């Protein structure tokens, strides 16, 4: 179900931003993904050529991006 919901969100985002590309905001989208699925979706994201902003409290996404050679920029927020 999580993958279907993600695919639907990406499709609708493409549909609504045809005239002007907009970044996708993803907030803990992959929290329930297993290792195999998250690697595949991160590879797909890496091929899209558009800005994706991923909010997560996990380190695994960053580790997989590094392993897969997908460029990213990290902004770490610190809490009080």
């Amino acid at each position: 179900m999580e993958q279907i919901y993600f695919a639907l969100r990406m499709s609708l985002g493409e549909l609504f931003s045809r005239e002007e590309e907009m970044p996708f905001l993803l907030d803990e989208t992959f929290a329930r993904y297993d290792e195999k699925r998250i690697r595949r979706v991160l590879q797909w994201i890496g091929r899209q050529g558009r800005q994706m902003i991923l909010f997560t409290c996990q380190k695994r996404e960053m580790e997989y991006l590094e392993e897969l050679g997908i460029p990213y920029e990290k902004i770490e927020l610190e809490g009080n």
Side-chain angles (χ1 to χ4, degrees):
M1 288 304 292
E2 297 288 326
Q3 288 83 31
I4 292 171
Y5 180 59
F6 177 74
L8 179 63
R9 288 176 60 193
M10 294 297 101
S11 297
L12 289 173
E14 288 289 328
L15 183 66
F16 292 129
S17 64
R18 284 190 175 167
E19 292 181 23
E20 184 176 341
E21 261 191 31
M22 298 174 61
F24 282 107
L25 301 174
L26 306 171
D27 186 10
E28 291 296 342
T29 303
F30 312 122
R32 295 184 183 179
Y33 282 32
D34 61 23
E35 181 179 344
K36 180 179 176 182
R37 286 180 176 87
I38 194 170
R39 286 177 180 271
R40 285 186 178 172
V41 77
L42 290 174
Q43 287 175 327
W44 179 84
I45 286 172
R47 292 190 303 266
Q48 296 311 299
R50 61 185 307 158
Q51 185 178 25
M52 302 270 184
I53 300 171
L54 174 61
F55 296 96
T56 184
C57 63
Q58 305 293 320
K59 292 186 179 184
R60 69 180 186 156
E61 285 88 343
M62 183 177 63
E63 292 169 359
Y64 294 152
L65 289 168
E66 289 174 4
E67 287 176 19
L68 297 167
I70 300 169
Y72 70 94
E73 289 189 40
K74 175 184 171 186
I75 299 173
E76 191 166 338
L77 304 176
E78 295 182 24
N80 294 333

